[in-house]
Amino acid sequence: MQTTPEQKPRGEILLRTLAMPADTNGNGDIFGGWIMSQLDLAGAIVAQEITGSRVVTVSVSNITFKAPVSVGDIVCCYGECTRIGNTSLSIALEVWIKNRAKVGMNQHYLACDALFNYVAIDDNGKPHHISK
Ligand SMILES: CC(C)(COP(=O)(O)OP(=O)(O)OC[C@H]1O[C@@H](n2cnc3c(N)ncnc32)[C@H](O)[C@@H]1OP(=O)(O)O)[C@@H](O)C(=O)NCCC(=O)NCCS
């Protein structure tokens, strides 16, 4: 599943970090769970900005790992809100990888995409209406 030259990241840049040796699995690649946690953080930032309240992750509707992530990769999370419901909202998220040695600093490729769903909650942890 290679990134085509026409493909561009979806939405705005939300988070950038470096994949480290502590984040690897038994194969020496980066854990899918670590990538999911980065996406969850990125999505929660957008969800909080939109709702102006606390949010919790209620589900991940779809996640696809398209290319392995390696130690030393610059992991860039992009995303945008695709749906605002009564108390919930969906954020489409993508991980794009930059790596000087692999593709050069002017190139990047899509490693993962996902749809995260969040619910706005009040101080008691109960869903509350999102005003649009
Ligand atoms: C998320 C939570 C607050 C929802 O509470 P609830 O009383 O079940 O809420 P409701 O059934 O009224 O649903 C609230 C909204 O969530 C949506 N929702 C519920 N389950 C969903 C699912 N599996 N996927 C997507 N949306 C879902 C509902 O459609 C509703 O959206 P809407 O108001 O925009 O129409 C509650 O289940 C909870 O606290 N879960 C734990 C969250 C958490 O700890 N996350 C971190 C896990 S690591």
Side-chain angles (χ1 to χ4, degrees):
M1 280 183 273
Q2 277 205 321
T3 309
T4 63
E6 299 77 39
Q7 262 180 295
K8 299 275 178 278
R10 180 174 191 174
E12 61 175 318
I13 181 82
L14 302 168
L15 209 66
R16 290 202 314 166
T17 188
L18 201 56
M20 299 295 280
D23 309 318
T24 53
N25 60 24
N27 300 326
D29 292 320
I30 297 299
F31 257 128
W34 180 82
I35 294 166
M36 286 179 75
S37 72
Q38 302 307 308
L39 288 173
D40 198 12
L41 292 171
I45 290 171
V46 183
Q48 280 181 50
E49 284 176 345
I50 291 171
T51 61
S53 68
R54 290 169 58 190
V55 295
V56 284
T57 313
V58 67
S59 68
V60 182
S61 318
N62 202 5
I63 183 158
T64 307
F65 295 99
K66 294 168 183 286
V69 178
S70 312
V71 171
D73 283 353
I74 301 170
V75 175
C76 308
C77 298
Y78 290 82
E80 64 183 3
C81 180
T82 57
R83 181 192 65 87
I84 301 181
N86 181 31
T87 67
S88 68
L89 69 171
S90 303
I91 313 292
L93 294 161
E94 293 182 348
V95 171
W96 286 73
I97 299 301
K98 269 189 180 179
N99 186 307
R100 181 186 49 77
K102 276 188 197 167
V103 289
M105 290 311 274
N106 296 326
Q107 302 290 323
H108 57 176
Y109 62 90
L110 180 62
C112 177
D113 59 28
L115 189 71
F116 276 65
N117 302 301
Y118 298 87
V119 175
I121 53 166
D122 62 20
D123 291 341
N124 299 313
K126 298 293 176 207
H128 83 79
H129 177 70
I130 303 168
S131 42
K132 294 171 195 166

Coordinates of all heavy atoms in Angstrom, one line a residue, residues 17-112:
T17 N 6.3 13.4 16.7 CA 7.1 12.8 17.7 C 8.1 11.9 17.0 O 8.0 11.6 15.8 CB 6.3 12.1 18.8 OG1 7.2 11.7 19.9 CG2 5.6 10.9 18.3
L18 N 9.1 11.4 17.8 CA 10.1 10.5 17.3 C 9.9 9.1 17.8 O 9.7 8.9 19.0 CB 11.5 11.0 17.7 CG 12.7 10.7 17.0 CD1 12.6 11.0 15.5 CD2 13.9 11.4 17.6
A19 N 9.9 8.1 16.9 CA 9.7 6.7 17.3 C 11.0 6.2 17.9 O 12.1 6.3 17.3 CB 9.3 5.8 16.1
M20 N 10.9 5.7 19.2 CA 12.1 5.3 19.9 C 12.2 3.8 20.2 O 11.2 3.1 20.1 CB 12.0 6.1 21.3 CG 12.0 7.6 21.2 SD 13.5 8.2 20.5 CE 14.5 8.2 22.0
P21 N 13.4 3.3 20.5 CA 13.6 1.9 20.7 C 12.6 1.3 21.8 O 12.2 0.1 21.6 CB 15.0 1.8 21.2 CG 15.7 2.9 20.6 CD 14.7 4.0 20.6
A22 N 12.2 2.1 22.8 CA 11.3 1.5 23.8 C 9.9 1.2 23.2 O 9.1 0.5 23.9 CB 11.2 2.6 24.9
D23 N 9.6 1.7 22.0 CA 8.3 1.6 21.4 C 8.2 0.4 20.5 O 7.2 0.3 19.7 CB 7.9 2.8 20.7 CG 8.0 4.1 21.6 OD1 7.7 4.0 22.8 OD2 8.5 5.1 21.1
T24 N 9.2 -0.5 20.4 CA 9.3 -1.5 19.4 C 8.6 -2.8 19.9 O 8.5 -3.1 21.1 CB 10.7 -1.9 19.0 OG1 11.5 -2.2 20.2 CG2 11.4 -0.8 18.3
N25 N 8.2 -3.7 18.9 CA 7.7 -5.0 19.2 C 8.8 -6.0 19.0 O 10.0 -5.6 18.8 CB 6.5 -5.3 18.3 CG 6.9 -5.2 16.8 OD1 8.0 -5.4 16.4 ND2 5.9 -5.0 16.0
G26 N 8.5 -7.3 19.1 CA 9.5 -8.4 18.9 C 10.2 -8.4 17.6 O 11.3 -9.0 17.5
N27 N 9.6 -7.8 16.6 CA 10.3 -7.8 15.3 C 11.2 -6.6 15.1 O 11.9 -6.5 14.1 CB 9.2 -7.6 14.1 CG 8.2 -8.8 14.2 OD1 8.6 -9.9 14.5 ND2 7.0 -8.5 13.8
G28 N 11.2 -5.7 16.1 CA 12.0 -4.5 16.0 C 11.3 -3.4 15.3 O 11.9 -2.3 15.2
D29 N 10.1 -3.6 14.9 CA 9.3 -2.5 14.4 C 8.5 -1.8 15.5 O 8.5 -2.3 16.6 CB 8.3 -3.0 13.3 CG 9.0 -3.5 12.1 OD1 9.9 -2.8 11.6 OD2 8.5 -4.5 11.5
I30 N 7.9 -0.6 15.2 CA 7.2 0.1 16.2 C 5.8 -0.6 16.5 O 5.2 -1.0 15.5 CB 7.0 1.6 15.8 CG1 8.4 2.2 15.7 CG2 6.1 2.3 16.8 CD1 9.2 2.3 17.0
F31 N 5.5 -0.8 17.7 CA 4.2 -1.4 18.1 C 3.0 -0.7 17.5 O 2.9 0.6 17.6 CB 4.0 -1.2 19.6 CG 4.3 -2.4 20.5 CD1 5.2 -2.3 21.5 CD2 3.6 -3.6 20.2 CE1 5.4 -3.4 22.3 CE2 3.9 -4.7 21.0 CZ 4.8 -4.6 22.1
G32 N 2.0 -1.4 17.0 CA 0.8 -0.8 16.5 C 0.1 -0.1 17.7 O -0.5 1.0 17.5
G33 N 0.2 -0.6 18.9 CA -0.5 0.0 20.0 C 0.1 1.4 20.4 O -0.7 2.3 20.8
W34 N 1.4 1.5 20.2 CA 2.0 2.8 20.4 C 1.5 3.8 19.4 O 1.2 5.0 19.7 CB 3.5 2.7 20.4 CG 4.2 4.0 20.6 CD1 4.5 4.6 21.8 CD2 4.7 4.9 19.6 NE1 5.1 5.8 21.7 CE2 5.2 6.0 20.3 CE3 4.7 5.0 18.2 CZ2 5.8 7.1 19.7 CZ3 5.3 6.0 17.6 CH2 5.8 7.1 18.3
I35 N 1.4 3.4 18.1 CA 0.9 4.3 17.1 C -0.6 4.7 17.4 O -1.0 5.8 17.2 CB 1.0 3.6 15.7 CG1 2.5 3.4 15.4 CG2 0.3 4.4 14.6 CD1 2.8 2.5 14.2
M36 N -1.4 3.7 17.8 CA -2.8 4.0 18.2 C -2.8 5.0 19.3 O -3.7 5.9 19.3 CB -3.5 2.7 18.6 CG -3.8 1.8 17.4 SD -4.7 0.4 17.9 CE -6.3 1.0 18.2
S37 N -1.9 4.9 20.3 CA -2.0 5.9 21.4 C -1.6 7.3 20.9 O -2.2 8.3 21.4 CB -1.1 5.5 22.5 OG 0.2 5.6 22.2
Q38 N -0.7 7.4 19.9 CA -0.4 8.7 19.4 C -1.6 9.3 18.7 O -1.9 10.5 18.8 CB 0.8 8.7 18.4 CG 2.1 8.1 19.0 CD 2.5 8.8 20.3 OE1 2.6 10.0 20.3 NE2 2.7 8.0 21.3
L39 N -2.3 8.4 17.9 CA -3.5 8.9 17.2 C -4.6 9.3 18.2 O -5.3 10.3 17.9 CB -4.0 7.8 16.3 CG -3.2 7.5 15.0 CD1 -3.7 6.2 14.3 CD2 -3.2 8.7 14.1
D40 N -4.7 8.6 19.2 CA -5.7 8.9 20.2 C -5.5 10.2 20.9 O -6.4 11.0 21.1 CB -5.8 7.8 21.3 CG -7.0 7.8 22.1 OD1 -8.0 8.4 21.7 OD2 -7.1 7.1 23.1
L41 N -4.2 10.5 21.2 CA -3.8 11.8 21.7 C -4.1 12.9 20.7 O -4.7 14.0 21.1 CB -2.3 11.9 22.0 CG -1.8 11.0 23.2 CD1 -0.3 11.0 23.2 CD2 -2.4 11.5 24.5
A42 N -3.8 12.7 19.5 CA -4.0 13.7 18.4 C -5.5 14.0 18.2 O -5.9 15.1 18.2 CB -3.4 13.2 17.1
G43 N -6.3 12.9 18.2 CA -7.7 13.1 18.0 C -8.4 13.8 19.2 O -9.3 14.6 19.0
A44 N -7.9 13.4 20.4 CA -8.4 14.0 21.6 C -8.2 15.6 21.6 O -9.0 16.3 22.1 CB -7.9 13.4 22.9
I45 N -7.1 16.0 21.1 CA -6.8 17.4 21.0 C -7.9 18.1 20.2 O -8.5 19.1 20.6 CB -5.4 17.7 20.4 CG1 -4.3 17.2 21.4 CG2 -5.2 19.2 20.1 CD1 -2.9 17.2 20.9
V46 N -8.1 17.6 19.0 CA -9.2 18.2 18.1 C -10.5 18.1 18.8 O -11.3 19.1 18.8 CB -9.3 17.4 16.8 CG1 -10.3 18.1 15.9 CG2 -8.0 17.3 16.1
A47 N -10.8 17.0 19.4 CA -12.2 16.8 20.0 C -12.4 17.8 21.1 O -13.4 18.4 21.3 CB -12.3 15.4 20.5
Q48 N -11.3 18.0 21.9 CA -11.4 19.0 23.1 C -11.6 20.4 22.5 O -12.3 21.2 23.1 CB -10.2 18.9 23.9 CG -10.2 17.8 24.9 CD -8.9 17.8 25.8 OE1 -8.6 18.8 26.4 NE2 -8.3 16.7 25.9
E49 N -10.8 20.7 21.5 CA -10.9 22.1 20.9 C -12.3 22.4 20.4 O -12.9 23.5 20.5 CB -9.9 22.2 19.8 CG -8.5 22.4 20.3 CD -7.5 22.5 19.2 OE1 -7.8 22.1 18.0 OE2 -6.3 22.9 19.5
I50 N -13.0 21.3 19.8 CA -14.3 21.5 19.2 C -15.4 21.6 20.3 O -16.3 22.4 20.3 CB -14.6 20.4 18.2 CG1 -13.7 20.6 17.0 CG2 -16.1 20.4 17.8 CD1 -13.8 19.4 16.0
T51 N -15.3 20.7 21.3 CA -16.3 20.6 22.3 C -16.1 21.6 23.4 O -17.1 21.9 24.1 CB -16.4 19.2 22.9 OG1 -15.1 18.9 23.5 CG2 -16.6 18.1 21.9
G52 N -14.9 22.0 23.7 CA -14.6 22.9 24.8 C -14.8 22.2 26.1 O -15.0 22.8 27.1
S53 N -14.8 20.8 26.1 CA -15.0 20.1 27.4 C -14.1 18.9 27.4 O -13.3 18.6 26.5 CB -16.5 19.6 27.4 OG -16.7 18.6 26.4
R54 N -14.3 18.1 28.5 CA -13.6 16.8 28.6 C -14.1 15.9 27.5 O -15.3 16.0 27.2 CB -13.8 16.2 29.9 CG -13.1 16.9 31.1 CD -13.5 16.3 32.4 NE -13.3 14.9 32.6 CZ -13.8 14.2 33.6 NH1 -14.6 14.7 34.5 NH2 -13.6 12.9 33.6
V55 N -13.3 15.0 27.0 CA -13.8 14.0 26.1 C -13.2 12.6 26.4 O -12.2 12.5 27.1 CB -13.4 14.3 24.6 CG1 -14.0 15.6 24.1 CG2 -11.8 14.3 24.5
V56 N -14.0 11.6 26.1 CA -13.4 10.2 26.2 C -13.5 9.5 24.8 O -14.4 9.8 24.0 CB -14.1 9.3 27.2 CG1 -13.8 9.7 28.6 CG2 -15.6 9.4 27.0
T57 N -12.6 8.6 24.6 CA -12.6 7.8 23.4 C -13.7 6.8 23.6 O -13.7 6.0 24.6 CB -11.3 7.1 23.1 OG1 -10.2 8.1 23.3 CG2 -11.2 6.5 21.8
V58 N -14.7 6.7 22.6 CA -15.7 5.6 22.8 C -15.4 4.5 21.9 O -15.7 3.3 22.2 CB -17.1 6.2 22.6 CG1 -17.4 6.7 21.2 CG2 -18.2 5.2 23.0
S59 N -14.9 4.7 20.7 CA -14.6 3.6 19.8 C -13.6 4.0 18.7 O -13.4 5.2 18.5 CB -15.8 3.0 19.1 OG -16.4 4.0 18.2
V60 N -13.0 3.0 18.1 CA -12.2 3.3 16.9 C -12.9 2.5 15.8 O -13.0 1.3 15.9 CB -10.7 2.8 17.1 CG1 -9.9 3.1 15.8 CG2 -10.1 3.4 18.3
S61 N -13.5 3.2 14.8 CA -14.3 2.5 13.8 C -13.5 1.8 12.8 O -13.9 0.8 12.2 CB -15.2 3.5 13.1 OG -15.7 4.4 13.9
N62 N -12.3 2.3 12.6 CA -11.5 1.7 11.5 C -10.1 2.1 11.6 O -9.8 3.3 11.9 CB -12.0 2.4 10.2 CG -11.8 1.6 9.0 OD1 -11.2 0.5 9.1 ND2 -12.0 2.1 7.8
I63 N -9.2 1.1 11.5 CA -7.8 1.5 11.6 C -7.0 0.6 10.6 O -7.3 -0.6 10.6 CB -7.2 1.4 13.0 CG1 -5.7 1.9 13.0 CG2 -7.3 0.1 13.6 CD1 -5.2 2.4 14.3
T64 N -6.2 1.1 9.8 CA -5.4 0.4 8.8 C -3.9 0.8 8.9 O -3.6 2.0 8.9 CB -5.9 0.6 7.4 OG1 -7.3 0.4 7.3 CG2 -5.2 -0.3 6.4
F65 N -3.1 -0.3 9.1 CA -1.6 0.0 9.1 C -1.1 -0.3 7.7 O -1.2 -1.5 7.2 CB -0.9 -0.9 10.1 CG -1.4 -0.6 11.6 CD1 -2.3 -1.3 12.2 CD2 -0.8 0.5 12.2 CE1 -2.7 -1.0 13.5 CE2 -1.2 0.8 13.5 CZ -2.1 0.1 14.2
K66 N -0.6 0.7 7.0 CA -0.3 0.6 5.6 C 1.2 0.3 5.4 O 1.6 -0.2 4.3 CB -0.7 1.8 4.9 CG -2.2 2.0 4.8 CD -2.6 3.4 4.3 CE -4.0 3.7 4.4 NZ -4.8 3.0 3.3
A67 N 2.0 0.7 6.3 CA 3.5 0.5 6.2 C 4.1 0.5 7.6 O 3.6 1.2 8.5 CB 4.1 1.7 5.4
P68 N 5.2 -0.3 7.8 CA 5.8 -0.4 9.1 C 6.4 0.9 9.5 O 6.8 1.7 8.7 CB 6.8 -1.5 9.0 CG 7.0 -1.8 7.6 CD 5.8 -1.2 6.8
V69 N 6.5 1.2 10.8 CA 7.1 2.4 11.4 C 8.4 1.9 12.1 O 8.3 0.9 12.8 CB 6.2 3.1 12.3 CG1 6.9 4.3 12.9 CG2 4.9 3.5 11.6
S70 N 9.5 2.6 11.9 CA 10.8 2.1 12.4 C 11.3 3.1 13.5 O 10.9 4.3 13.5 CB 11.8 2.0 11.3 OG 11.3 1.3 10.2
V71 N 12.3 2.6 14.3 CA 13.0 3.5 15.2 C 13.6 4.6 14.4 O 14.2 4.4 13.4 CB 14.0 2.7 16.0 CG1 14.9 3.6 16.8 CG2 13.4 1.7 16.9
G72 N 13.5 5.8 14.9 CA 14.1 7.0 14.3 C 13.2 7.7 13.3 O 13.5 8.8 12.8
D73 N 12.0 7.1 13.0 CA 11.0 7.7 12.1 C 10.4 9.0 12.8 O 10.2 8.9 14.0 CB 9.9 6.8 11.7 CG 10.3 5.8 10.7 OD1 11.4 5.9 10.1 OD2 9.5 4.9 10.4
I74 N 10.2 10.0 12.1 CA 9.5 11.1 12.6 C 8.0 10.9 12.3 O 7.6 10.7 11.2 CB 9.9 12.5 11.9 CG1 11.4 12.7 12.2 CG2 9.1 13.6 12.5 CD1 12.0 13.8 11.4
V75 N 7.2 10.7 13.4 CA 5.8 10.3 13.3 C 4.9 11.5 13.4 O 4.9 12.3 14.4 CB 5.5 9.3 14.4 CG1 4.0 9.0 14.5 CG2 6.4 8.1 14.3
C76 N 4.2 11.8 12.3 CA 3.4 13.0 12.2 C 2.0 12.6 12.1 O 1.6 11.9 11.2 CB 3.8 13.8 10.9 SG 5.6 14.1 10.7
C77 N 1.2 13.1 13.1 CA -0.3 12.8 13.1 C -1.1 14.0 12.5 O -0.9 15.1 13.0 CB -0.8 12.5 14.5 SG 0.0 11.1 15.2
Y78 N -1.9 13.7 11.5 CA -2.8 14.7 10.9 C -4.2 14.3 11.2 O -4.5 13.1 11.3 CB -2.6 14.8 9.4 CG -1.2 15.3 9.0 CD1 -0.1 14.6 8.9 CD2 -1.1 16.7 8.6 CE1 1.1 15.1 8.5 CE2 0.1 17.2 8.1 CZ 1.2 16.4 8.1 OH 2.4 17.0 7.7
G79 N -5.1 15.2 11.1 CA -6.5 14.8 11.3 C -7.5 16.0 11.1 O -7.1 17.2 11.1
E80 N -8.7 15.6 11.0 CA -9.8 16.5 10.9 C -11.1 15.9 11.4 O -11.3 14.7 11.3 CB -10.0 17.1 9.5 CG -10.4 16.0 8.5 CD -10.5 16.5 7.0 OE1 -10.2 17.7 6.8 OE2 -10.9 15.7 6.2
C81 N -12.0 16.8 11.9 CA -13.3 16.3 12.3 C -14.2 16.0 11.1 O -14.3 16.8 10.2 CB -14.0 17.4 13.2 SG -15.6 16.9 13.8
T82 N -14.8 14.8 11.1 CA -15.7 14.5 10.0 C -17.2 14.4 10.3 O -18.0 14.3 9.5 CB -15.3 13.1 9.4 OG1 -15.3 12.1 10.4 CG2 -13.9 13.2 8.8
R83 N -17.5 14.4 11.6 CA -18.9 14.3 12.1 C -19.0 14.9 13.5 O -18.2 14.6 14.3 CB -19.3 12.8 12.1 CG -20.7 12.6 12.5 CD -21.0 11.1 12.7 NE -20.3 10.6 13.9 CZ -20.7 10.7 15.2 NH1 -21.9 11.2 15.5 NH2 -20.0 10.2 16.1
I84 N -20.0 15.7 13.7 CA -20.4 16.1 15.0 C -21.8 15.7 15.3 O -22.8 16.1 14.5 CB -20.3 17.7 15.2 CG1 -18.8 18.1 14.9 CG2 -20.7 18.1 16.6 CD1 -18.6 19.6 15.1
G85 N -22.0 14.8 16.3 CA -23.4 14.4 16.6 C -23.9 15.2 17.8 O -23.6 16.3 18.0
N86 N -24.8 14.5 18.5 CA -25.4 15.2 19.7 C -24.4 15.4 20.8 O -24.0 16.5 21.2 CB -26.6 14.4 20.2 CG -27.3 15.1 21.3 OD1 -27.2 16.4 21.4 ND2 -27.9 14.4 22.2
T87 N -23.8 14.2 21.2 CA -22.7 14.3 22.2 C -21.4 13.7 21.7 O -20.4 13.7 22.5 CB -23.2 13.4 23.5 OG1 -23.2 12.1 23.1 CG2 -24.5 13.9 24.0
S88 N -21.4 13.1 20.5 CA -20.2 12.4 20.0 C -19.7 13.1 18.8 O -20.4 13.9 18.1 CB -20.5 11.0 19.7 OG -21.4 10.8 18.6
L89 N -18.5 12.8 18.4 CA -17.9 13.3 17.2 C -16.8 12.4 16.7 O -16.3 11.6 17.5 CB -17.3 14.7 17.4 CG -16.1 15.0 18.2 CD1 -15.6 16.5 18.0 CD2 -16.3 14.8 19.7
S90 N -16.5 12.4 15.4 CA -15.6 11.5 14.8 C -14.4 12.3 14.2 O -14.6 13.4 13.6 CB -16.2 10.7 13.6 OG -17.4 10.0 14.1
I91 N -13.2 11.8 14.4 CA -12.0 12.5 13.9 C -11.3 11.5 13.0 O -10.9 10.4 13.4 CB -11.1 12.9 15.0 CG1 -11.8 13.6 16.2 CG2 -9.9 13.8 14.5 CD1 -12.4 15.0 15.8
A92 N -11.1 11.9 11.7 CA -10.3 11.0 10.8 C -8.9 11.4 11.0 O -8.5 12.6 11.0 CB -10.7 11.3 9.3
L93 N -8.0 10.4 11.2 CA -6.6 10.6 11.6 C -5.7 9.8 10.6 O -6.1 8.7 10.1 CB -6.4 10.1 13.0 CG -7.1 10.9 14.1 CD1 -7.2 10.2 15.4 CD2 -6.4 12.3 14.3
E94 N -4.5 10.4 10.4 CA -3.5 9.7 9.6 C -2.2 9.9 10.2 O -1.9 10.9 10.8 CB -3.5 10.4 8.2 CG -4.7 10.1 7.3 CD -4.6 10.7 5.9 OE1 -3.7 11.5 5.7 OE2 -5.5 10.4 5.1
V95 N -1.3 8.9 10.1 CA 0.1 9.0 10.5 C 0.9 9.0 9.2 O 0.9 8.1 8.3 CB 0.5 7.7 11.3 CG1 2.0 7.7 11.5 CG2 -0.2 7.7 12.6
W96 N 1.7 10.1 9.1 CA 2.7 10.2 8.0 C 4.1 10.1 8.6 O 4.3 10.7 9.6 CB 2.5 11.5 7.2 CG 1.2 11.5 6.4 CD1 -0.1 11.5 6.8 CD2 1.2 11.4 4.9 NE1 -0.9 11.5 5.7 CE2 -0.2 11.4 4.6 CE3 2.2 11.3 3.9 CZ2 -0.6 11.3 3.2 CZ3 1.7 11.2 2.6 CH2 0.4 11.2 2.2
I97 N 5.0 9.4 7.8 CA 6.3 9.2 8.3 C 7.3 10.0 7.5 O 7.3 10.0 6.2 CB 6.7 7.7 8.2 CG1 5.8 6.9 9.1 CG2 8.2 7.5 8.6 CD1 5.8 7.2 10.5
K98 N 8.2 10.7 8.2 CA 9.4 11.3 7.6 C 10.6 10.6 8.1 O 10.7 10.2 9.3 CB 9.5 12.8 8.1 CG 8.8 13.8 7.2 CD 9.2 15.1 7.6 CE 8.6 16.2 6.8 NZ 9.0 17.5 7.3
N99 N 11.6 10.4 7.3 CA 12.9 9.8 7.8 C 14.0 10.1 6.8 O 13.9 9.8 5.6 CB 12.7 8.2 7.9 CG 14.0 7.6 8.5 OD1 15.1 7.8 8.0 ND2 13.8 6.8 9.5
R100 N 15.0 10.8 7.3 CA 16.1 11.3 6.4 C 16.7 10.2 5.7 O 16.9 10.3 4.4 CB 17.1 12.0 7.3 CG 18.3 12.6 6.6 CD 19.3 13.2 7.6 NE 19.6 12.2 8.7 CZ 20.4 11.1 8.5 NH1 21.0 10.9 7.3 NH2 20.7 10.2 9.4
A101 N 17.0 9.1 6.3 CA 17.7 8.0 5.7 C 16.8 7.2 4.7 O 17.3 6.8 3.7 CB 18.3 7.0 6.7
K102 N 15.5 7.1 5.0 CA 14.6 6.2 4.2 C 14.2 7.0 2.9 O 14.3 6.5 1.8 CB 13.4 5.9 5.0 CG 13.5 4.7 5.9 CD 12.0 4.4 6.4 CE 12.0 3.5 7.5 NZ 10.7 3.5 8.2
V103 N 13.6 8.2 3.1 CA 13.0 8.9 2.0 C 13.5 10.3 1.8 O 13.0 11.0 0.9 CB 11.5 8.9 2.1 CG1 10.9 7.5 1.9 CG2 11.0 9.5 3.5
G104 N 14.4 10.8 2.7 CA 14.8 12.2 2.6 C 13.9 13.1 3.4 O 12.7 12.7 3.6
M105 N 14.4 14.2 3.8 CA 13.5 15.1 4.7 C 12.4 15.8 3.9 O 11.5 16.3 4.5 CB 14.4 16.1 5.4 CG 15.3 15.5 6.5 SD 14.4 14.4 7.6 CE 13.8 15.5 8.8
N106 N 12.5 15.8 2.6 CA 11.4 16.5 1.8 C 10.3 15.6 1.4 O 9.4 16.0 0.7 CB 12.0 17.2 0.6 CG 13.0 18.3 1.0 OD1 12.8 18.9 2.0 ND2 14.0 18.4 0.2
Q107 N 10.4 14.3 1.8 CA 9.4 13.3 1.4 C 8.7 12.8 2.7 O 9.3 12.8 3.7 CB 10.0 12.1 0.6 CG 10.7 12.5 -0.6 CD 9.8 13.0 -1.7 OE1 8.7 12.4 -1.8 NE2 10.2 14.0 -2.5
H108 N 7.5 12.3 2.5 CA 6.9 11.5 3.6 C 5.9 10.6 3.0 O 5.5 10.7 1.9 CB 6.2 12.5 4.7 CG 5.2 13.4 4.1 ND1 4.5 14.2 4.9 CD2 4.8 13.6 2.9 CE1 3.6 14.9 4.2 NE2 3.8 14.6 2.9
Y109 N 5.5 9.6 3.8 CA 4.6 8.6 3.3 C 3.5 8.2 4.4 O 3.8 8.4 5.6 CB 5.3 7.3 2.8 CG 6.1 6.6 3.8 CD1 5.5 5.6 4.6 CD2 7.4 6.9 4.0 CE1 6.3 4.9 5.5 CE2 8.2 6.2 5.0 CZ 7.6 5.2 5.7 OH 8.4 4.6 6.6
L110 N 2.4 7.7 3.9 CA 1.3 7.4 4.8 C 1.5 6.0 5.4 O 1.7 5.0 4.7 CB 0.0 7.4 4.0 CG -1.3 7.1 4.7 CD1 -1.6 8.1 5.8 CD2 -2.5 7.1 3.7
A111 N 1.5 5.9 6.7 CA 1.8 4.6 7.4 C 0.5 4.1 8.0 O 0.4 2.9 8.2 CB 2.8 4.8 8.5
C112 N -0.5 4.9 8.3 CA -1.7 4.4 9.1 C -2.8 5.4 8.9 O -2.6 6.7 8.9 CB -1.3 4.3 10.5 SG -2.6 3.8 11.6

